[in-house]
């Protein structure tokens, strides 16, 4: 459901960057269903594989050193490839989000790739399951500030959702059986 909502932030013919991970794969499947023509820049083999069947999608796979655990690329070559691109939106899938600590991840190899995608895009959307909120990680991707968008699932507790809104964080969550807050 969070990937379904995130897809509403994209328009036909957009250029986007997408991170790696299990949520990224679900996101890619949703893109394949909802859009006919997109430009997608990724470092994820799984995202690439999910989208390669769409003939009208322009796909760029930024390769480099291979991370077996995430089935994705990282390192200097990946960063150099990303330097050549500009996207409207980067979709990043962090490990933790907290008002106190910001948006965080654990993987020291993939962290620079996530940062580069954020730098090379006009907008950043963080997609995070509700169980990743008010937790911390090893590496800070970003402070929570106006300008970033966070998308979560319907399991995000009302008190956390309301607290983020009170702090002027742009946050959305999937709907619970036809209803819910956005």
């Amino acid at each position: 459901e969070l990937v379904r909502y995130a897809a509403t932030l994209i328009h036909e013919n957009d250029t986007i960057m997408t991170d790696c991970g299990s949520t990224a794969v679900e996101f890619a499947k949703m893109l394949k269903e909802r859009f006919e023509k997109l430009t997608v820049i990724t470092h994820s083999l799984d995202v690439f594989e999910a989208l390669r069947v769409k003939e009208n999608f322009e796909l760029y796979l930024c390769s480099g050193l291979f991370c077996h655990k995430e089935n994705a690329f990282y390192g200097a070559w990946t960063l150099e490839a990303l330097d050549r691109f500009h996207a409207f939106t980067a979709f990043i899938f962090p490990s933790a989000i907290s008002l106190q600590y910001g948006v965080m991840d654990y993987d020291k190899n993939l962290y620079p790739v996530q940062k580069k995608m954020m730098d090379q895009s006009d907008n950043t959307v963080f997609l995070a399951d509700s169980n990743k909120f008010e937790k911390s990680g090893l590496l800070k991707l970003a402070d929570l500030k106006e300008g970033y968008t966070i998308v979560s699932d319907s399991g995000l507790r009302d008190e956390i959702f309301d607290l983020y809104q009170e702090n002027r964080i742009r946050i959305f969550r999937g709907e619970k059986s036809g209803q819910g807050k956005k």
Side-chain angles (χ1 to χ4, degrees), residues 114-174:
Q114 294 169 312
K115 289 289 283 182
K116 179 62 77 175
M117 286 181 163
M118 292 167 63
D119 291 346
Q120 298 297 110
S121 300
D122 294 336
N123 305 288
T124 298
V125 176
F126 296 110
L127 278 75
D129 295 328
S130 54
N131 63 357
K132 294 181 179 177
F133 280 78
E134 291 314 298
K135 298 191 174 155
S136 67
L138 177 66
L139 304 163
K140 183 188 278 191
L141 285 165
D143 286 317
L144 290 179
K145 66 173 187 173
E146 291 184 59
Y148 293 128
T149 301
I150 299 171
V151 177
S152 190
D153 58 72
S154 63
L156 185 64
R157 295 190 334 257
D158 288 342
E159 56 269 19
I160 293 176
F161 182 79
D162 294 342
L163 183 62
Y164 278 60
Q165 285 194 319
E166 288 166 16
N167 281 276
R168 298 185 348 197
I169 311 278
R170 189 169 183 227
I171 186 166
F172 300 92
R173 67 178 167 186

Side-chain angles (χ1 to χ4, degrees), residues 1-180:
E1 76 190 85
L2 79 120
V3 296
R4 204 172 315 128
Y5 183 80
T8 67
L9 303 174
I10 301 170
H11 299 94
E12 201 70 46
N13 295 308
D14 273 358
T15 297
I16 64 170
M17 292 187 180
T18 182
D19 195 9
C20 63
S22 59
T23 306
V25 174
E26 294 306 311
F27 181 65
K29 290 176 185 174
M30 182 61 65
L31 295 176
K32 186 169 65 172
E33 291 172 17
R34 288 188 68 155
F35 296 96
E36 290 305 314
K37 188 172 184 184
L38 288 175
T39 300
V40 181
I41 303 152
T42 188
H43 65 118
S44 168
L45 273 178
D46 293 330
V47 168
F48 177 83
E49 281 297 317
L51 297 177
R52 71 182 182 87
V53 297
K54 293 290 282 196
E55 288 185 24
N56 290 327
F57 276 32
E58 195 167 300
L59 300 177
Y60 293 92
L61 179 61
C62 298
S63 65
L65 289 171
F66 185 66
C67 175
H68 291 274
K69 181 181 77 168
E70 292 290 339
N71 206 26
F73 296 98
Y74 69 97
W77 289 352
T78 306
L79 297 175
E80 286 174 23
L82 286 169
D83 261 334
R84 294 180 173 92
F85 295 103
H86 172 262
F88 182 68
T89 306
F91 291 89
I92 306 295
F93 307 93
S95 298
I97 296 181
S98 148
L99 280 176
Q100 181 177 0
Y101 302 112
V103 181
M104 306 194 81
D105 212 295
Y106 289 100
D107 194 309
K108 65 183 186 290
N109 293 320
L110 298 175
Y111 168 83
V113 177
Q114 294 169 312
K115 289 289 283 182
K116 179 62 77 175
M117 286 181 163
M118 292 167 63
D119 291 346
Q120 298 297 110
S121 300
D122 294 336
N123 305 288
T124 298
V125 176
F126 296 110
L127 278 75
D129 295 328
S130 54
N131 63 357
K132 294 181 179 177
F133 280 78
E134 291 314 298
K135 298 191 174 155
S136 67
L138 177 66
L139 304 163
K140 183 188 278 191
L141 285 165
D143 286 317
L144 290 179
K145 66 173 187 173
E146 291 184 59
Y148 293 128
T149 301
I150 299 171
V151 177
S152 190
D153 58 72
S154 63
L156 185 64
R157 295 190 334 257
D158 288 342
E159 56 269 19
I160 293 176
F161 182 79
D162 294 342
L163 183 62
Y164 278 60
Q165 285 194 319
E166 288 166 16
N167 281 276
R168 298 185 348 197
I169 311 278
R170 189 169 183 227
I171 186 166
F172 300 92
R173 67 178 167 186
E175 298 181 0
K176 299 178 187 180
S177 26
Q179 60 187 26

